[in-house]
Amino acid sequence: MTQASLGQLLEAVAGATTVLIVPHNDPDPDAIASAVGLRYLLAQVTNLPSQIQYAGIIGRAENKALVRYLGRPLRQLAPADLRQATHIALVDTQPGAGNNPLPAGHRPAIVVDHHDWREETASAAFNDVRPDVGATSTIMAEYLRVAGQEPPPPLATALFYGIKTDTMGLWRGAGMADMVAYQYLQPLVEIDGLSEIAGARLPTAYFQSFVQAFQSAQVYDSVVLSYVGPMAYPDLAAEIADLLSRLEGVQWVLCMGTYNDSLNLSVRSRSRRARAGQLVRAVVGDLGIAGGHGTMAGGHIQLHGADPQALAQRLGSRALEYLKVSPDVNGKRLV
């Protein structure tokens, strides 16, 4: 990160009266913190106001707690907001990724992300896409440091938590930049706030979903397939996949569940050489949208009346074939 990079980012919104900051749909802690970090940077350095708006829902208890802790800086996006915005910044996502509401052909002013590069991102006036970084919060922390803007404790806490969750405490997909940002932010963190976020209370339905996921889980050598069924929020499959990835001897996890009329998939791997994005794209194919990088990826398929459990079985078979698990290997129930 250099002053030149910061200057290019600011130049991309020169002349703007306001900026619409859009994280990916159903934003997680990394997306939330990165969006708030960009809003703070623009306000402090240029006095440029900005709004953070998102599509989907914020469903996970910890994510809701983070938004409350930050003073509810995000609001729901309406279609008219995109049409009226002259300068849009995408954070933790990219044009054409399928997990944000940016219309096809709409040119964003700024794209900041840590996922695999997408060709559509070249249309942005400015982009900073670094697949070798574990969290977009790391990139935003760098911009704040270069700008000489020490984040206030709530923002520092959010950025720290964003890095922590996306890298699972620096052991998943983390690089040197993540470690430096983690150490820089740690003394600025509000411990009580972090405890409030990470220890958010959970509804009964949360535990019931885990029971369903564990009961349906099948282990094929080093691969686990699990179907959750109906989910209270769309990123529950990712949360369950994170936990199943800790199972002894497991290298790959594919967890699936339904939210509204969509089958959501989440892939996790323990291998540092994994290309989870390639796996999930091969599994989903032209049925829906999928993407990711490194050891984590996800996707979703609109059901349009299809049987979700039968579709999940079909996708699980594709995953086993892709991972070259012998068809002679019979799945063993986890519990």
Side-chain angles (χ1 to χ4, degrees):
M1 176 62 60
T2 65
Q3 285 288 344
S5 299
L6 174 62
Q8 291 165 5
L9 183 151
L10 300 177
E11 179 63 27
V13 291
T17 56
T18 186
V19 176
L20 174 60
I21 300 174
V22 181
H24 61 68
N25 301 342
D26 313 315
D28 61 6
D30 186 35
I32 294 167
S34 301
V36 176
L38 179 57
R39 186 186 69 166
Y40 182 81
L41 175 70
L42 295 177
Q44 295 299 116
V45 178
T46 69
N47 291 319
L48 182 60
S50 53
Q51 297 288 333
I52 305 172
Q53 296 177 253
Y54 68 96
I57 70 167
I58 298 175
R60 188 169 175 174
E62 296 91 332
N63 300 356
K64 290 180 178 178
L66 174 60
V67 171
R68 288 195 301 269
Y69 169 72
L70 290 170
R72 302 183 187 279
L74 290 77
R75 66 185 180 91
Q76 198 82 31
L77 182 74
D81 298 323
L82 285 171
R83 291 195 298 268
Q84 296 168 3
T86 59
H87 292 74
I88 296 176
L90 293 182
V91 293
D92 207 28
T93 183
Q94 297 176 57
N99 65 345
N100 66 67
L102 189 74
H106 199 111
R107 183 173 183 257
I110 294 171
V111 175
V112 181
D113 190 25
H114 74 115
H115 298 98
D116 288 341
W117 167 265
R118 299 188 63 88
E119 291 183 4
E120 297 92 332
T121 299
S123 68
F126 171 83
N127 73 77
D128 188 348
V129 176
R130 298 189 234 167
D132 59 331
V133 172
T136 305
S137 292
T138 293
I139 301 173
M140 288 313 308
E142 286 188 5
Y143 277 107
L144 291 169
R145 291 189 71 179
V146 170
Q149 300 293 327
E150 181 178 288
L155 176 54
T157 303
L159 290 168
F160 180 85
Y161 188 66
I163 299 170
K164 183 177 185 293
T165 54
D166 251 35
T167 66
M168 294 193 77
L170 296 181
W171 75 258
R172 180 178 67 190
M176 183 58 67
D178 302 292
M179 298 177 190
V180 171
Y182 203 78
Q183 292 174 351
Y184 164 68
L185 294 166
Q186 194 165 29
L188 307 175
V189 166
E190 287 186 327
I191 300 301
D192 288 347
L194 189 63
S195 176
E196 173 188 334
I197 297 162
R201 302 297 290 270
L202 300 164
T204 301
Y206 173 87
F207 298 97
Q208 293 171 340
S209 294
F210 271 79
V211 170
Q212 169 65 21
F214 294 157
Q215 289 178 339
S216 72
Q218 297 280 336
V219 183
Y220 299 84
D221 286 342
S222 61
V223 180
V224 176
L225 305 178
S226 179
Y227 176 68
V228 185
M231 301 185 295
Y233 48 92
D235 49 350
L236 181 58
E239 196 169 354
I240 294 172
D242 281 336
L243 183 58
L244 287 173
S245 70
R246 298 177 60 184
L247 181 64
E248 185 176 10
V250 163
Q251 289 296 315
W252 288 92
V253 174
L254 171 58
C255 185
M256 295 167 279
T258 59
Y259 178 76
N260 290 341
D261 191 41
S262 174
L263 179 69
N264 289 16
L265 303 84
S266 186
V267 172
R268 294 293 185 267
S269 177
R270 299 285 297 193
S271 172
R272 292 190 177 275
R273 296 187 300 275
R275 301 298 295 175
Q278 293 179 5
L279 168 60
V280 76
R281 283 189 289 270
V283 168
V284 171
D286 59 2
L287 297 176
I289 295 171
H293 72 143
T295 60
M296 55 193 297
H300 65 270
I301 299 171
Q302 293 300 312
L303 291 169
H304 301 301
D307 181 347
Q309 191 160 7
L311 178 58
Q313 292 175 346
R314 177 182 170 191
L315 298 177
S317 297
R318 284 187 179 183
L320 294 175
E321 182 179 357
Y322 181 90
L323 294 171
K324 295 180 171 56
V325 174
S326 171
D328 297 329
V329 174
N330 294 319
K332 298 178 181 178
R333 298 182 67 89
L334 177 62
V335 294

